[in-house]
Amino acid sequence: MNKKIIYSGIQPTGIITIGNFIGAISNWLKMQDDYDCIFGIADLHALTVRQVPAEYRKRALSFFAQYIACGLDPEKSILYFQSHVAEHAELQWILNCFTYIGEMQRMTQFKDKAAKHADNINMGLLDYPVLMAADILLYQTSLVPVGIDQKQHLEITRDIAVRFNNLYSPTFTVPEAYIGERGAKIYSLREPGQKMSKSDPDPNAAVSIIEDADVIMKKFMSAVTDSDTVVRYDPENKPGVSNLMVIMSEMGGLGIQEIERLYGDKGYAVFKRACGEAVVERLKPIKAEYDRLMSDKDYLMAVARDGAERARRLARRTLNKVKRKVGLVEQ
Ligand code: ATP
Ligand code: LTN
């Protein structure tokens, strides 16, 4: 029996945050045994904003090591760099011809990024969702585990797949987003109304998964809460505290009610310390494994090459089918 296929990726920009970990990676880890999983470093996507080449190369490799350090297992899942499999860009071109400019201009992320980088509204920024659709559709993916901010991109991917399938004949599996119940959106430690973002310029807003323990503790101790003193889950009125509770629950394994029972009347300082400690404990083995992996670049590159080869084999199958259907002359 063939297992269902899972695909997801992260752009190698900024740092991998505990938001990325809780919203995306922790769900990937749970899926590795039950599905055929493919996890890419979306290094073509991140070229839509200017990168410093030498730093970018280093960061992409560091992200790859962090994937493995988190527990993504190259024996179980395909781990690779998107840019190593040329089929992504090839399918993107064909899908571009089945996507309307208006659809792309309506994407929230495009509007946000265009406003943020007004001096560099390049074609890639507009075309970003079509590359993401190509990533997903190339592998006949059934489920895409992402945070809630990617929902709109999944919807357009589905629209493109259905449009193509209806024009020709069933070619692509129509994928679904897999969004965790809680933790789909972790908020900034400084501005609890804002998403924790991996490229936030304020270093205290986000926590990296390979951050030193004392820095993590400092960030949690200075997290913005409210003028009340009670630890209670109430996202509407107590967004800061509620966010910390979700983080503590997801990283430490305690339920939200248990946290309320244990820390409800202990005051914020005690609660914040416990929350920071839960995060430090969860991340400790990840950091140790990351340091080990970064001293063995040959191993990392061998995993990446093997992953790309396996990905390419699968991607070719879909791409050949697509080329035949649209009427390109076969080689
Ligand atoms: P940026 O801030 O640079 O736009 P990002 O933090 O949104 O980046 P992405 O690379 O866009 O990170 O996202 C990687 C994955 O992590 C996606 O599945 C995304 O939905 C998820 N994710 C990102 N931020 C959060 C968050 N704060 N809470 C939960 N999931 C998140
Ligand atoms: N756009 C995604 C990263 C990404 C992705 C994908 C996620 C690129 N290709 C394919 C899922 C499936 C983001 O999280 N910003």
Side-chain angles (χ1 to χ4, degrees):
M1 273 265 289
N2 277 348
K3 291 182 191 167
K4 282 192 174 167
I5 295 171
I6 304 291
Y7 189 96
S8 199
I10 295 183
Q11 304 185 70
T13 52
I15 51 171
I16 300 187
T17 69
I18 54 173
N20 301 129
F21 183 80
I22 295 170
I25 298 175
S26 67
N27 288 326
W28 305 357
L29 295 173
K30 288 183 218 144
M31 294 172 139
Q32 284 194 107
D33 291 317
D34 300 327
Y35 299 93
D36 282 334
C37 297
I38 306 168
F39 300 116
I41 300 285
D43 55 354
L44 293 175
H45 272 108
L47 290 179
T48 52
V49 295
R50 290 275 171 270
Q51 307 292 345
V52 178
E55 280 173 19
Y56 190 49
R57 194 173 290 122
K58 261 198 218 144
R59 185 175 305 114
L61 193 65
S62 161
F63 270 45
F64 195 69
Q66 289 177 63
Y67 270 18
I68 302 173
C70 283
L72 296 179
D73 180 352
E75 300 282 321
K76 293 182 187 164
S77 303
I78 295 180
L79 310 177
Y80 77 111
F81 292 90
Q82 179 190 37
S83 64
H84 291 180
V85 179
E87 283 75 4
H88 289 250
E90 227 179 318
L91 180 62
Q92 181 191 19
W93 176 258
I94 297 178
L95 296 181
N96 271 337
C97 305
F98 297 86
T99 308
Y100 299 103
I101 294 174
E103 291 178 311
M104 297 296 99
Q105 285 167 330
R106 280 196 291 276
M107 292 283 121
T108 323
Q109 185 177 300
F110 170 69
K111 289 194 270 189
D112 288 352
K113 295 237 159 145
K116 226 160 121 191
H117 306 275
D119 55 334
N120 182 20
I121 308 178
N122 59 65
M123 286 297 293
L125 216 50
L126 184 65
D127 208 16
Y128 181 111
V130 182
L131 180 58
M132 183 159 157
D135 296 345
I136 296 167
L137 300 179
L138 262 184
Y139 300 100
Q140 305 295 343
T141 304
S142 295
L143 279 179
V144 184
V146 283
I148 199 137
D149 60 317
Q150 293 300 312
K151 197 163 173 247
Q152 199 183 33
H153 288 159
L154 255 294
E155 278 158 12
I156 196 73
T157 299
R158 289 166 60 85
D159 291 347
I160 295 170
V162 169
R163 187 173 298 156
F164 193 98
N165 287 349
N166 287 344
L167 270 170
Y168 299 94
S169 55
T171 307
F172 297 121
T173 303
V174 181
E176 272 176 56
Y178 175 95
I179 296 168
E181 257 170 63
R182 237 197 317 261
K185 190 162 180 181
I186 299 296
Y187 295 89
S188 156
L189 297 184
R190 303 303 304 168
E191 285 177 84
Q194 299 286 325
K195 183 183 94 157
M196 182 181 284
S197 159
K198 62 216 255 285
S199 43
D200 197 313
D202 178 351
N204 292 318
V207 172
S208 148
I209 60 170
I210 50 166
E211 196 113 49
D212 286 332
D214 53 337
V215 180
I216 297 179
M217 289 309 294
K218 257 196 220 125
K219 289 187 182 180
F220 276 96
M221 293 311 287
S222 66
V224 170
T225 45
D226 51 51
S227 53
D228 193 17
T229 54
V230 186
V231 175
R232 178 166 48 82
Y233 186 72
D234 179 354
E236 198 117 306
N237 300 306
K238 299 169 71 68
V241 170
S242 303
N243 185 44
L244 294 181
M245 291 175 80
V246 171
I247 293 174
M248 183 171 181
S249 170
E250 295 289 323
M251 299 299 273
L254 289 177
I256 293 289
Q257 282 174 352
E258 236 169 318
I259 296 173
E260 272 177 5
R261 198 169 47 75
L262 287 171
Y263 298 98
D265 55 2
K266 296 277 184 340
Y268 286 168
V270 172
F271 166 61
K272 283 180 178 177
R273 183 164 301 112
C275 181
E277 280 165 359
V279 172
V280 167
E281 255 341 278
R282 178 69 183 89
L283 295 181
K284 206 186 277 169
I286 294 178
K287 165 90 171 121
E289 180 63 0
Y290 169 76
D291 288 341
R292 196 186 67 74
L293 287 165
M294 284 305 276
S295 65
D296 193 354
K297 301 261 160 62
D298 290 346
Y299 169 75
L300 289 176
M301 288 321 298
V303 171
R305 268 193 297 274
D306 177 62
E309 202 169 302
R310 286 157 66 200
R312 201 176 298 120
R313 230 179 352 242
L314 296 170
R316 278 252 66 93
R317 256 192 250 163
T318 302
L319 188 64
N320 285 340
K321 200 154 76 162
V322 169
K323 285 176 145 179
R324 203 168 350 102
K325 295 215 184 183
V326 299
L328 295 171
V329 175
E330 284 177 66
Q331 282 184 319

